[in-house]
Amino acid sequence: MLEQQSGNLIATNISKHFGGVRAVDDLSFEIPPGIVCGLIGPNGSGKTTTLNLITGTLQLTSGTVRYNGQQINGLKRHEIVRRGISRTFQNLRLFSSLSALDHVILGRYIHCKTPLIPSLLGVRSAVKEDTEAEEKARHYLNMVGLSGYEDVVPHELPYGKRKLLEVARALSTEAACLCLDEPAAGMSEGEIDSLINLIGQLKKQGITIMLIEHRMTLVMTVCDRIVVLNYGKKIAEGDPQTVSNDPLVIQAYLGRRRGGRTQ
Ligand SMILES: Nc1ncnc2c1ncn2[C@@H]1O[C@H](COP(=O)(O)OP(=O)(O)OP(=O)(O)O)[C@@H](O)[C@H]1O
Ligand SMILES: [Mg+2]
């Protein structure tokens, strides 16, 4: 059951400059509620930076981000999570000493008043009265196919399953909008099939998803629409079929494959 209301995510003329590097350059797009939107582009095209700007990990150089009609740029990361936007990381951010179940319980605590540090020091003791938190965490682990791995620590999990653990942790915030940064990286074909099913299930629940991905099978199967970046700029937008036939998109990918940047 979603606690957050699914809503429009709208980025308007957003830019992020790192010195002379225009990582994101005057980018605008809209993700309507319940839509799975792919954000693709060659390496270094600005996908992760865009996600970092939406989720408050980075502050904008210029532009605005609105969710549910309200401006969210300028808010702190945890405030954005409370508005209903959660994320996973391209490079995993898991704690070596916490079990899979504890990771997901902790993710949920963004909604609670319990301070983060005491929770980190003793997740189970901090929540021992809160059976609901544990039940929900088990539910989200089950949803991503990690039932049976509750007591396992991250380094004992295969890489693909660690990525799924991050998805479970993101879901545990009761997010209505999920931003996934290359969830399929390192996954086996079987794990990708499970991820496709999971994304379909989340979509049926009305969750809005922004999906950064290089695995085209996944992108083409699950996305309703796709935004394509190159050098921080949007070069194409539309349904998967339209985008995959776009000459600019083909050129962007081929250009990079031939050996780096082609201005
Ligand atoms: N903190 C930073 N400081 C300086 N430059 C950065 C920083 N973060 C990203 N960049 C640069 O911004 C550009 C976009 O990087 P970004 O990580 O957003 O690309 P990406 O599309 O996610 O690439 P990949 O597919 O390899 O993950 C790159 O040129 C990168 O080197
Ligand atoms: Mg990236």
Side-chain angles (χ1 to χ4, degrees):
M1 185 74 172
L2 279 181
E3 289 173 5
Q4 309 281 357
Q5 188 197 350
S6 192
N8 262 16
L9 179 66
I10 305 177
T12 310
N13 305 116
I14 62 170
S15 294
K16 180 67 185 178
H17 301 167
F18 298 107
V21 177
R22 292 174 177 231
V24 176
D25 195 7
D26 201 24
L27 172 66
S28 298
F29 60 86
E30 176 172 354
I31 310 182
I35 289 294
V36 180
C37 179
L39 185 64
I40 68 169
N43 293 117
S45 56
K47 305 179 295 296
T48 297
T49 305
T50 301
L51 196 157
N52 285 340
L53 294 171
I54 289 169
T55 56
T57 307
L58 286 173
Q59 296 303 316
L60 294 161
T61 302
S62 57
T64 55
V65 181
R66 298 177 79 79
Y67 181 67
N68 271 339
Q70 292 181 333
Q71 187 173 318
I72 57 167
N73 55 284
L75 296 180
K76 298 209 161 41
R77 274 181 294 176
H78 69 273
E79 291 169 335
I80 292 176
V81 175
R82 285 211 171 90
R83 300 284 176 103
I85 300 177
S86 192
R87 71 171 296 174
T88 63
F89 292 88
Q90 182 170 356
N91 301 312
L92 293 166
R93 295 195 181 179
L94 299 168
F95 299 100
S96 56
S97 58
L98 290 183
S99 71
L101 185 64
D102 286 345
H103 272 92
V104 185
I105 290 174
L106 199 55
R108 181 176 159 70
Y109 262 62
I110 196 81
H111 280 297
C112 305
K113 289 192 176 132
T114 307
L116 191 66
I117 298 303
S119 300
L120 268 174
L121 293 175
V123 177
R124 292 289 174 84
S125 62
V127 298
K128 67 175 187 288
E129 301 298 325
D130 194 348
T131 49
E132 191 200 343
E134 185 166 330
E135 266 168 37
K136 288 215 168 182
R138 288 182 188 280
H139 165 74
Y140 288 118
L141 280 175
N142 184 38
M143 220 174 148
V144 303
L146 288 180
S147 208
Y149 292 92
E150 288 81 0
D151 295 324
V152 176
V153 289
H155 70 265
E156 289 172 354
L157 288 171
Y159 190 75
K161 289 197 167 33
R162 289 185 219 171
K163 302 282 285 191
L164 289 169
L165 176 56
E166 277 226 328
V167 177
R169 181 172 62 180
L171 284 170
S172 72
T173 65
E174 309 278 343
C177 178
L178 269 186
C179 300
L180 306 175
D181 198 348
E182 298 198 30
M187 280 190 177
S188 65
E189 293 303 317
E191 285 167 338
I192 291 178
D193 285 344
S194 308
L195 184 62
I196 289 172
N197 285 334
L198 173 63
I199 290 174
Q201 220 180 315
L202 297 174
K203 190 177 140 102
K204 274 195 200 133
Q205 292 177 22
I207 295 180
T208 306
I209 298 177
M210 176 182 230
L211 174 69
I212 295 178
E213 209 20 269
H214 285 290
R215 306 284 281 261
M216 283 305 136
T217 335
L218 176 61
V219 172
M220 293 297 156
T221 310
V222 301
C223 292
D224 300 298
R225 58 189 299 106
I226 298 174
V227 171
V228 190
L229 298 184
N230 199 19
Y231 300 113
K233 282 190 177 296
K234 182 168 73 181
I235 57 164
E237 184 172 16
D239 61 72
Q241 190 66 29
T242 309
V243 158
S244 60
N245 289 322
D246 189 309
L248 276 179
V249 176
I250 295 165
Q251 177 56 39
Y253 276 95
L254 289 179
R256 297 290 176 99
R257 260 189 231 139
R258 273 195 216 107
R261 300 190 158 208
T262 50
Q263 281 291 62

